[in-house]
Every structure is written in C-alpha cells, then in structure tokens.
Amino acid sequence: MRKNMAVRRLNLGYFIRPASEVGGPQPRVEPVLAYLVQHDNGLLLFDTGIGDADPETEAHYRPRRRALRDALSASGVALADVSMIVNCHLHFDHIGGNPLLGGKPILVQDVELATARRGNYTVDELIDFPGATYEEVAGEIEAWPGIWVIPTPGHTEGHQSLALRQSDGTVVLAGQAYDLASHFASEQLARHATLRGEEQPLPPYRHWLDRLADFDPRRVFFAHDCSVWEPPQTEGAETRLSAT
C-alpha cells in the first residue's frame, strides 16, 4: 500500500437537470466536479468538465462552465503539468477539457470509446480532436502503482471509477456511477442486508459493489454531488460531532 496521494476536487461549473430526468416535480442543479490526483508518476486528472454542445442540449441542461485552465490554476497547476487523463465516461459534461490536453494519454474503457465513436452519444468533436491519444483498457487494471481502474457499468456500459489505495484507507473516485452519494449509500446498505441474509424482498445492488468492497473504501467522491460517502461507524463505536 502506498503513502497518501493528494486528491484535490475541482469545481468546473454546474448544469440544471430537468425534472423529467430527476424523477420528481422540480429540476435539480448539479455540480460538475473533477479530481486532480498527485502521484509519484505525475498528475492524474479524473474528468475535465463541460464541453460545448449543440443549441438543443445547451437549452436542455443550461450549463454554466468554469474553465479547466482556471480551476487548475487555482490549485497551482497548469495544463502542461497534467500527465494523464482518466474519464469516467465520455458524455460531454465529463470530457469538455480533453481537447486542451492533446497528446496526453486518456485512459478509457474500450467499449466506451467504441460506443462514443458510433455517434449519437456525445459531442463528436470532443472525442477525435487533434492530438487525441487514447489508451483503451478492457476491464480492471492498475494504471499506476496504487491507482486501480474499476469498471462500474450502469450509467453507461463503459463507465469506470478509480480506487486510490493509500496508507490511511482507499479513496474511490466514483464519477457518475451514482448521481448522488445517498444513492450509493442506499445500495451499500442493500448489499450489506443481502449478505447478512435478511429476508426478501430486498432492493438489488450493482454487482461491482462486491469488487469495490475488496478495497475497503474510506471515502467515495462523485462527479455530480459535493457530498462525500464515508462508512458508518462500527457497532458500539462512538460518533462525535463537533463544530469547530
């Protein structure tokens, strides 16, 4: 297990998800978050923000962008400092800054890239731009020592997440495997109840949660929710809340 890797969350704007997609009576404003990981091998950037889309998509989601260059600069980093990009998937709100990083390797699941290249999936100009350099993977790999790419299909067939194994516990960058941290928490509890043999009916959970559990995650971060999931206290442990 490696020493700690510094992880910085980058705010790259927001969009407004219509009520028809939320499943309720009101729309929901969702942040667009990327993550910068400082590793001995260099700087890894997980997602790059909202790309420009066609007028219909712009009107549908009403995005407000923060430039990737500005977000990196606020963290003391330039575009040239980035060593590798990992996109959780290739929808336009996760790959907007990719064309600014031509020549840098972009790690993506092969099924995700194939789907994007078939068209009617994302903004084509954000896929095969000048200098686009993809490293296609098929399934799980250790991209750099201690940094694991984990397939987490659901939102898209080729969705992937990162597990960062550190001395103080694993950090998972879950992307849009779940829209909200509370959704992740609910399925984690469903899995726990299932494994305890609770009587059916129980809600289903995604099969790859079993693999994530092998990493014993201490914190899970998301692409469209500022909340962070942490495991509940073990039975009998004291929980202290302080306002400092």
Side-chain angles (χ1 to χ4, degrees):
M1 191 170 297
R2 300 183 57 79
K3 65 182 181 180
N4 292 340
M5 295 171 253
V7 180
R8 297 181 183 178
R9 184 162 65 186
L10 305 180
N11 170 21
L12 295 179
Y14 63 86
F15 65 92
I16 303 170
R17 190 180 294 278
S20 59
E21 296 184 10
V22 172
Q26 299 294 333
R28 184 171 68 216
V29 182
E30 298 187 5
V32 173
L33 305 171
Y35 295 88
L36 188 65
V37 181
Q38 186 173 358
H39 187 277
D40 291 344
N41 285 15
L43 287 174
L44 182 153
L45 183 59
F46 187 71
D47 284 350
T48 63
I50 313 171
D52 292 329
D54 59 84
E56 182 180 357
T57 302
E58 292 285 319
H60 186 76
Y61 288 112
R62 296 179 280 165
R64 295 295 180 267
R65 300 167 176 84
R66 184 188 185 199
L68 177 62
R69 191 187 308 272
D70 294 343
L72 290 173
S73 179
S75 294
V77 172
L79 288 167
D81 297 328
V82 175
S83 303
M84 182 166 68
I85 303 100
V86 178
N87 293 124
C88 65
H89 66 293
L90 298 178
H91 285 166
F92 86 106
D93 54 320
H94 295 262
I95 62 173
N98 285 15
L100 300 174
L101 296 158
K104 310 281 187 179
I106 303 170
L107 205 63
V108 65
Q109 294 290 316
D110 55 1
V111 65
E112 183 71 12
L113 185 58
T115 301
R117 282 176 167 163
R118 283 198 291 268
N120 297 317
Y121 181 80
T122 187
V123 177
D124 293 343
E125 291 78 9
L126 297 175
I127 299 298
D128 288 313
F129 53 87
T133 306
Y134 290 101
E135 291 190 3
E136 298 180 53
V137 299
E140 179 178 319
I141 66 163
E142 188 174 19
W144 285 348
I147 297 183
W148 288 84
V149 175
I150 309 296
T152 48
H155 178 67
T156 70
E157 184 181 357
H159 192 282
Q160 61 186 5
S161 301
L162 287 185
L164 315 177
R165 303 201 75 164
Q166 308 189 89
S167 60
D168 65 344
T170 296
V171 170
V172 171
L173 305 180
Q176 202 174 345
Y178 295 88
D179 286 340
L180 301 175
S182 59
H183 295 171
F184 177 83
S186 293
E187 285 205 17
Q188 282 283 92
L189 285 172
R191 175 181 179 274
H192 180 70
T194 299
L195 295 179
R196 284 178 63 95
E198 299 290 352
E199 184 177 347
Q200 294 290 338
L202 291 170
Y205 65 91
R206 302 176 202 209
H207 66 89
W208 43 257
L209 283 178
D210 292 329
R211 177 55 180 144
L212 281 189
D214 293 338
F215 290 90
D216 190 23
R218 300 290 92 192
R219 291 174 297 281
V220 180
F221 295 86
F222 303 90
H224 296 313
D225 190 351
C226 293
S227 299
V228 179
W229 179 89
E230 293 182 341
Q233 295 287 334
T234 57
E235 293 182 10
E238 181 182 5
T239 301
R240 295 182 179 178
L241 300 177
S242 61
T244 57

